[in-house]
Amino acid sequence: MTKFHRQSLVAYGQPLCETIADCPTPRGSEVLVRVECCGVCHSDLHIQDGYFDLGGGKQLDITKDRPLPFTLGHEIAGVIEAVGEAADGAVIGHRIAVYPWIGCGACAACRASNENLCSDHRHLGIAVDGGYATHVLVPHPRYLLDYAPLSPFFAGPLMCSGLTAYGALKRLVHHSDHTPVLLVGLGGVGMMGLAIARVLFRQAPIVADIDPEKRAAALAAGAAQAFDPSDPQARRAVLAATRGVLAVCDFVGSDESLQFSTGVLARGGKVVVTGLLGGTFSIAAAMIAIKAMTIEGSLTGTLAQARELIDLARTGKLTTIPTHDRPLVEAQAALEALRAGRVVGRTVLAC
Ligand SMILES: [Zn+2]
Ligand SMILES: [Zn+2]
């Protein structure tokens, strides 16, 4: 029987280590995918920790209902290796990206095609074993997306960092006709957001990040202007350049980033928050009405949006962001580099 090598979470707060098991045999509609590559995502750090920081010393425990050892990884591209007897349409040898945000299929969110928002989800690499491995089991062929002629190292990360940025930015299309969109935070998702925003919106986006290297990378990738939000004059500078922004995407999700994002809004403006860095955020309540502002959350994206995003990438208009590939055995080192904030662009594990 084929062996299945994984870089597994064996204890929360501890380094990943290799585990080896027998490869599962797909049954029914299941498909066994041999993983070619899997992107490393910031949310993997939270799962490794076992909690989200809610600020004020509070933590959201996320260790429940996840048997250990557990395999992280939800930005998967691979090759169909074996199929169950009812996996109609899945062809052995086909190269596919895996939509990981798989729902229960029965709840209100799933029935509205928002499986990414399912309350009893089976999200790969979050609740069910994911792609830091040689193989991953997918419950149905509908989650397998053909991505030719893109590279698997581009297609895999589209399923989370790309989709998260795309799902969030689509919520800003009606706010972006007259002023440029402001993108706050230029990690992997923010840089993907920049590439997508350049295609979705009429005007080139403006960006903000505290790291000068990331600002330089964003300017090189087509941002119209870059601001340093740690500069006390930054808010004034954005207001001087724009007279207030109507559309902000906050890829950080911290106290500081949300203060900045809401502080530069014009009346009627909207902030979409997709970052999970954590903390608490307070706002003068009257400003919500005085500025007629909207603060809206966004979590990954739907299966339909994943298909749209692959089609958008196929047009060739999305500039690829810097990608570093590392072998699967370096998964822990890749997580540590991400945790230290040392990565410009994306890290993808070659599995
Ligand atoms: Zn992710
Ligand atoms: Zn559901």
Side-chain angles (χ1 to χ4, degrees), residues 130-166:
Y132 286 13
T134 52
H135 295 79
V136 66
L137 195 62
V138 180
H140 195 281
R142 67 195 293 260
Y143 303 112
L144 306 179
L145 310 183
D146 181 52
Y147 62 78
L150 307 173
S151 145
F153 287 82
F154 185 40
L158 286 181
M159 294 297 103
C160 177
S161 64
L163 189 56
T164 296
Y166 183 70

Side-chain angles (χ1 to χ4, degrees), residues 78-169:
V79 182
I80 297 177
E81 185 159 293
V83 298
E85 64 283 2
D88 297 338
V91 177
I92 291 171
H94 269 192
R95 298 176 81 186
I96 42 74
V98 181
Y99 176 80
W101 313 115
I102 297 168
C104 69
C107 72
C110 286
R111 289 203 310 273
S113 300
N114 295 319
E115 289 186 67
N116 54 315
L117 305 181
C118 175
S119 52
D120 188 23
H121 66 79
R122 297 171 288 166
H123 294 173
L124 296 180
I126 310 291
V128 173
D129 281 327
Y132 286 13
T134 52
H135 295 79
V136 66
L137 195 62
V138 180
H140 195 281
R142 67 195 293 260
Y143 303 112
L144 306 179
L145 310 183
D146 181 52
Y147 62 78
L150 307 173
S151 145
F153 287 82
F154 185 40
L158 286 181
M159 294 297 103
C160 177
S161 64
L163 189 56
T164 296
Y166 183 70
L169 291 171

Side-chain angles (χ1 to χ4, degrees), residues 184 208-211 215 227-232 234-235 256 260:
V184 177
D209 197 288
I210 54 174
D211 180 344
R215 291 197 300 275
F227 299 89
D228 175 4
S230 67
D231 176 348
R235 182 172 162 270
E256 295 80 5
F260 183 74

Side-chain angles (χ1 to χ4, degrees), residues 265-283:
L265 282 184
R267 281 199 170 146
K270 179 173 177 180
V271 179
V272 173
V273 187
T274 196
L276 299 167
L277 191 63
T280 53
F281 164 63
S282 66
I283 186 167

